[in-house]
């Protein structure tokens, strides 16, 4: 189930890369590419003189072997200069040319950003969802649901600049923006908020629906009848039941954050995995770009599978053959 | 017998008969946010058709003596870094967005309905193939895949166009290559976004087929085509219309996203996403240049989302949210 999908995903990215617009040899050689002997030399070094099928099988071998190949920067020349000028490499300022190290190094940054976004989501979105459910069909409810539709519909590259203008130019809360200075720096706050607006609607809606469903249930009435304060009825009894669908969707939300952070990274100039993808797509460093796409596809497929399994585990009525 | 029935009718004062569509329209008109969406959609259509005549400037016309200006009587929304009128470019961006929304929605709907229906009716290996294709498309991070496809195919389409020009002397471009960006975006977005509608159509057909009223119709001896035309199509039309509306907004948003990343509409073509990324470098000095296309994009996307929500409430009463 999982393996064939991944292999076909690999075949598609490889074919696209093979017919890609930027000749890897020219990306490495730069202006020197017209020199025929150098061209043939580099082509051989990159393994591009072999037939398509052999190249693909070789590529599959390196991917499954756990070594994801080398960035074009490893072959020196223009590609390497370009990578250095773009600040690419493992981690923030590393110089590794192994695709795996580059992807995993950047993933750490994207993951930290996503973690903050998840924290904001669990705190604010669940709180708003509960509030909307408890004040069902009042102005507060409509205001919460509508504003989360607004927040989630507007893309990050509109919210991001607007927040920058408000919180940097109009009310100077933040002085330095852009770049990445570790998870606990002030620079991480704005990007994480922008990233969290995307899946906000899903969480608010699910929390609200979950709470509304249990509002009139017997166990809630019992909890109230025994004199529990309303606050505790909501927190201990309602929320616990309502959280099951929210928790299962958290997996999808996380994979969405990890694969969707590229706009936020682009705006705030954060060297995460999305930024790496865009940089390498533009400069024609296909081994790295394909590595990122494959890695993200792997995250998506795995999370989908886990969500299905988790759903089955939490709800005994769902079965799989 | 008939008298009895009509007497009963009078007794219970049956309400006048109304179709699902009349009900839905009434429901939609009561939803203020959906009305806002309808208004936005009409405005978008109007502007994308008549945009060029609404402003005295051309969207590529530069005036290097008047760059980065704020709103004024000459330039209602100011000018950008090359002295192009912002309002004109935003109006032209509406044309881009509408065209992409329209063509991509038609493409994904045709592809989705054909593949989904084929899977549901033919079953067997056809169904397995369609669903596996959908799984694979879903496995990709969609914006990255669309970006990859458009980067690869832009070059191929350009080569093809040059060959045509050499062989037959066809000149499609006349220096402006924006049409090429359009073609590439239509193709890549259709290839990435078809699976939602295919899954929807397949699911609708499979679940409707098991319903009692279809079984009753079959027991009465109705032919397959009668069942398809008078039951399956009308019943799955509601969810499909909702999906088309939401997909229209989604396609426009994806175009803006691709153009923002620099792989969609290329300068001098006008797209809201391209305008945002173009002016993002000077957000500190000329924030209005970033905010204006952003606000327009946000309003249009919101409008289509509200319209989709309203249509969902109106057309699918059984899944109306409490």
């Amino acid at each position: 189930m999982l393996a064939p999908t991944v292999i076909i995903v690999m075949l598609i990215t490889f074919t696209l890369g093979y017919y890609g617009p930027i000749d890897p040899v020219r990306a490495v050689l730069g202006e020197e590419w017209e020199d025929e002997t150098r061209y043939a030399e580099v082509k051989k070094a990159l393994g591009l003189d072999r037939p398509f099928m052999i190249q693909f099988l070789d590529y599959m071998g390196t991917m499954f072997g756990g070594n994801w190949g080398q960035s074009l920067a490893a072959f020196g020349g223009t590609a390497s200069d370009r990578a250095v000028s773009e600040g690419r490499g493992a981690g923030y300022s590393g110089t590794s040319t192994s695709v795996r190290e580059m992807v995993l190094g950047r993933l750490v940054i994207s993951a930290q950003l996503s973690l903050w976004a998840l924290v904001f989501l669990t705190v604010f979105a669940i709180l708003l969802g509960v509030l909307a459910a408890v004040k069902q069909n009042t102005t507060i409810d409509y205001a919460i649901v509508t504003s989360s539709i607004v927040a989630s519909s507007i893309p990050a590259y509109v919210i991001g600049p607007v927040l920058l203008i408000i919180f940097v130019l109009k009310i100077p809360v933040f002085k330095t923006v852009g770049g990445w200075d570790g998870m606990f720096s002030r620079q991480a706050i704005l990007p994480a908020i922008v990233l969290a607006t995307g899946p906000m609607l899903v969480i608010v809606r699910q929390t609200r629906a979950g709470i509304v469903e249990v509002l009139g249930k017997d166990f809630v009435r019992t909890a109230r009848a025994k004199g529990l304060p309303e606050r505790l009825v909501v927190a201990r009894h309602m929320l616990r039941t309502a959280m099951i669908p929210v928790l299962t969707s958290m997996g999808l939300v996380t994979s969405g954050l990890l694969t969707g952070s590229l706009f936020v990274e682009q705006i705030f100039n954060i060297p995460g995995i999305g930024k790496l993808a865009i940089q390498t797509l533009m400069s024609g460093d296909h081994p790295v770009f394909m590595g990122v796409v494959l890695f993200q596809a792997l995250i998506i497929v795995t999370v989908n599978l886990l969500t299905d399994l988790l759903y089955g585990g939490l709800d005994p009525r769902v079965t799989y053959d | 017998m008939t008298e009895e029935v009509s007497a009963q009718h009078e007794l219970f004062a049956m309400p006048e008969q109304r179709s699902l569509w009349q009900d839905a329209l009434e429901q939609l008109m009561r939803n203020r946010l959906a009305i806002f969406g309808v208004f936005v959609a009409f405005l978008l259509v109007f502007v994308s058709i008549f945009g060029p005549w609404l402003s005295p400037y051309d969207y590529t016309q530069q005036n290097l003596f008047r760059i980065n200006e704020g709103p004024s009587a000459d330039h209602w929304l100011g000018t950008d870094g090359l002295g192009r009128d912002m309002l004109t470019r935003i109006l032209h961006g509406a044309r881009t967005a509408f065209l992409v929304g329209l063509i991509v929605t038609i493409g994904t709907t045709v592809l989705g309905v054909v593949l989904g229906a084929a899977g549901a009716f033919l079953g067997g290996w056809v169904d397995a193939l369609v669903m596996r294709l959908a799984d694979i498309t879903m496995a990709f991070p969609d914006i990255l895949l669309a970006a990859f496809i458009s980067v690869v195919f832009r070059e191929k389409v350009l080569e093809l166009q040059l060959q045509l020009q050499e062989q037959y002397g066809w000149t499609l471009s006349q220096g402006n290559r924006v049409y090429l960006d359009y073609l590439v975006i239509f193709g890549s977005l259709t290839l990435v976004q078809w699976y939602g509608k295919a899954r929807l159509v397949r699911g609708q057909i499979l679940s409707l087929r098991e319903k009692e009223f279809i079984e009753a119709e079959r027991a009465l001896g109705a032919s397959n085509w009668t069942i398809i035309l008078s039951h399956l199509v009308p019943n799955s039309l509601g969810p499909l219309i909702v999906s088309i509306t939401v997909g229209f907004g989604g396609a426009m948003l994806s175009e803006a996203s691709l153009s923002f990343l620099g792989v969609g509409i290329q300068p001098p073509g006008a797209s809201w996403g391209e305008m945002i990324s173009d002016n993002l470098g000077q957000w500190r000095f000329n924030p209005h240049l970033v905010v204006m296309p952003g606000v327009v994009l946000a309003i249009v996307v919101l409008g289509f989302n509200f319209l989709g929500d309203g249509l969902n409430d109106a057309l699918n009463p059984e899944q109306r949210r409490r």
Side-chain angles (χ1 to χ4, degrees):
Chain A
M1 178 63 201
L2 206 135
T5 311
V6 172
I7 290 176
I8 295 180
V9 166
M10 251 184 213
L11 181 63
I12 292 173
T13 48
F14 185 81
T15 315
L16 284 174
Y18 186 85
Y19 290 107
I22 299 175
D23 182 358
V25 183
R26 280 174 72 166
V28 169
L29 285 175
E31 283 169 9
E32 250 183 278
W33 73 276
E34 285 175 352
D35 182 351
E36 267 171 41
T37 47
R38 280 284 287 149
Y39 191 91
E41 214 172 274
V42 173
K43 191 165 184 174
K44 199 168 167 70
L46 291 169
L48 295 173
D49 51 346
R50 298 167 299 166
F52 174 81
M53 243 1 249
I54 303 290
Q55 282 189 41
F56 175 62
L57 288 177
D58 184 43
Y59 179 69
M60 232 166 68
T62 50
M63 290 312 275
F64 282 119
N67 162 30
W68 300 355
Q70 293 282 319
S71 155
L72 287 184
F75 300 92
T78 319
S80 169
D81 296 344
R82 194 153 177 182
V84 170
S85 73
E86 281 173 0
R88 273 191 272 129
Y92 186 21
S93 54
T95 48
S96 170
T97 52
S98 148
V99 172
R100 190 180 58 180
E101 278 173 35
M102 286 169 91
V103 171
L104 292 183
R106 299 297 197 94
L107 179 73
V108 173
I109 293 172
S110 291
Q112 289 173 344
L113 190 63
S114 302
L115 193 68
W116 272 128
L118 273 181
V119 170
F120 286 132
L121 273 176
T122 30
V123 175
F124 291 109
I126 291 182
L127 212 73
L128 286 176
V130 170
L131 192 64
V134 173
K135 307 271 178 195
Q136 198 191 347
N137 293 336
T138 62
T139 321
I140 299 177
D141 178 19
Y142 295 137
I144 289 174
V145 172
T146 311
S147 55
S148 39
I149 294 180
V150 172
S152 290
S153 309
I154 300 178
Y157 47 86
V158 175
I159 296 186
V162 168
L163 288 190
L164 275 180
I165 288 162
I166 294 174
F167 290 112
V168 179
L169 294 185
K170 305 290 171 206
I171 322 163
V173 185
F174 301 98
K175 286 201 186 88
T176 47
V177 286
W180 186 252
D181 194 19
M183 195 177 167
F184 297 102
S185 63
R186 283 164 67 112
Q187 272 135 289
I189 300 174
L190 267 184
I193 291 176
V194 176
L195 190 57
T197 55
M200 181 149 151
L201 178 64
V202 183
I203 304 289
V204 168
R205 258 195 189 152
Q206 271 187 349
T207 313
R208 182 181 174 278
I211 300 270
V212 165
E213 196 152 329
V214 296
L215 269 180
K217 286 278 161 70
D218 286 345
F219 69 89
V220 174
R221 208 179 311 157
T222 314
R224 281 206 188 107
K226 72 180 182 190
L228 216 57
E230 187 63 29
R231 194 162 41 84
L232 291 181
V233 174
V234 173
R236 278 199 201 146
H237 294 270
M238 292 182 174
L239 204 55
R240 204 169 282 182
T241 335
M243 271 304 96
I244 294 175
V246 179
L247 282 182
T248 47
S249 73
M250 274 298 186
L252 290 177
V253 167
T254 312
S255 79
L257 289 177
L258 275 177
T259 55
S261 62
L262 74 165
F263 297 109
V264 176
E265 287 168 10
Q266 189 80 4
I267 291 162
F268 292 94
N269 200 16
I270 295 168
I273 196 166
K275 181 98 182 161
L276 180 71
I278 294 305
Q279 282 176 340
T280 49
L281 178 66
M282 291 309 195
S283 61
D285 198 345
H286 286 149
V288 184
F289 180 75
M290 278 147 67
V292 176
V293 172
L294 253 172
F295 185 75
Q296 295 201 345
L298 207 63
I299 293 179
I300 294 173
V301 174
T302 316
V303 167
N304 284 356
L305 192 70
L306 283 181
T307 309
D308 281 358
L309 292 179
L310 188 67
Y311 205 69
L314 287 173
D315 189 343
R317 282 166 301 183
V318 180
T319 54
Y320 296 96
D321 2 87
Chain B
M1 178 73 187
T2 40
E3 277 161 27
E4 236 173 78
V5 170
S6 61
Q8 260 182 356
H9 264 279
E10 270 165 37
L11 201 63
F12 292 110
M14 286 284 280
E16 77 177 292
Q17 253 197 347
R18 289 185 311 179
S19 72
L20 169 74
W21 302 107
Q22 282 168 314
D23 254 1
L25 189 66
E26 198 163 296
Q27 178 87 23
L28 194 67
M29 298 301 278
R30 261 183 284 162
N31 187 338
R32 260 175 293 170
L33 290 176
I35 292 299
F36 166 73
V38 173
F39 175 72
V40 167
F42 273 112
L43 197 66
L44 182 74
V45 175
F46 177 78
V47 164
S48 63
I49 294 172
F50 298 106
W53 291 283
L54 294 179
S55 119
Y57 305 98
D58 185 71
Y59 74 102
T60 53
Q61 181 188 332
Q62 304 178 2
N63 182 352
L64 294 174
F65 295 105
R66 306 190 61 176
I67 59 168
N68 294 331
E69 277 183 12
S72 65
D74 291 353
H75 300 280
W76 289 1
L77 292 182
T79 56
D80 71 0
L82 292 171
R84 294 175 295 195
D85 182 51
M86 280 302 272
L87 181 61
T88 312
R89 284 184 72 72
I90 286 177
L91 291 180
H92 208 272
R95 178 172 273 196
T96 304
F98 177 70
L99 259 181
V100 169
L102 188 72
I103 307 264
V104 171
T105 309
I106 292 174
T108 53
T109 307
V110 170
L111 211 59
V113 169
V114 169
L115 289 179
F121 282 118
L122 301 176
W125 66 269
V126 180
D127 194 28
L129 183 71
V130 170
M131 283 299 100
R132 185 41 54 89
L133 273 178
D135 281 347
I136 289 163
T137 320
M138 262 165 67
F140 278 103
D142 46 2
I143 281 292
L144 281 188
L145 180 62
F148 204 3
I149 295 177
S150 55
V151 165
V152 171
F153 281 90
R154 170 166 294 116
E155 207 64 19
K156 299 292 156 202
V157 176
L158 189 66
E159 267 171 36
L160 186 73
Q161 197 257 315
L162 286 177
Q163 278 173 6
L164 283 178
Q165 200 170 336
E166 254 170 48
Q167 275 196 328
Y168 303 104
W170 293 354
T171 44
L172 296 163
S173 56
Q174 287 154 356
N176 191 339
R177 287 198 175 133
V178 177
Y179 81 94
L180 191 81
D181 302 328
Y182 282 131
L183 269 182
V184 167
I185 294 236
F186 296 155
S188 60
L189 288 184
T190 307
L191 282 178
V192 172
Q193 298 183 338
W194 61 275
Y195 64 84
K197 293 194 186 69
R199 286 166 65 98
L200 176 86
V201 169
R202 176 181 174 272
Q204 283 286 323
I205 293 174
L206 286 185
S207 75
L208 283 172
R209 215 160 54 172
E210 306 301 319
K211 290 271 164 68
E212 285 85 355
F213 71 95
I214 301 277
E215 209 175 312
E217 189 83 331
R218 198 161 277 146
L220 288 170
S223 74
N224 272 341
W225 282 112
T226 318
I227 293 178
I228 290 173
L229 289 180
S230 58
H231 295 290
L232 288 185
V233 171
N235 273 298
S236 43
L237 212 53
L240 191 62
I241 288 176
V242 174
S243 156
I244 286 173
T245 314
V246 175
F248 201 100
M252 291 192 300
L253 188 62
S254 301
E255 178 271 312
S257 306
L258 287 182
S259 303
F260 173 79
L261 293 176
V263 292
I265 308 291
Q266 307 289 329
S271 148
W272 297 328
E274 183 262 330
M275 291 170 77
I276 295 172
S277 74
D278 218 23
N279 296 320
L280 194 60
Q282 37 176 337
W283 66 270
R284 271 176 198 276
F285 318 109
N286 297 300
H288 65 282
L289 295 182
V290 184
V291 171
M292 281 176 318
V295 167
V296 174
L297 175 65
I299 289 175
V300 171
V301 170
L302 265 180
F304 274 88
N305 276 1
F306 285 142
L307 184 59
D309 264 13
L311 282 172
N312 192 32
D313 288 351
L315 289 171
N316 307 328
E318 70 271 23
Q319 35 173 289
R320 199 171 289 167
R321 283 190 314 278
R322 278 150 300 171

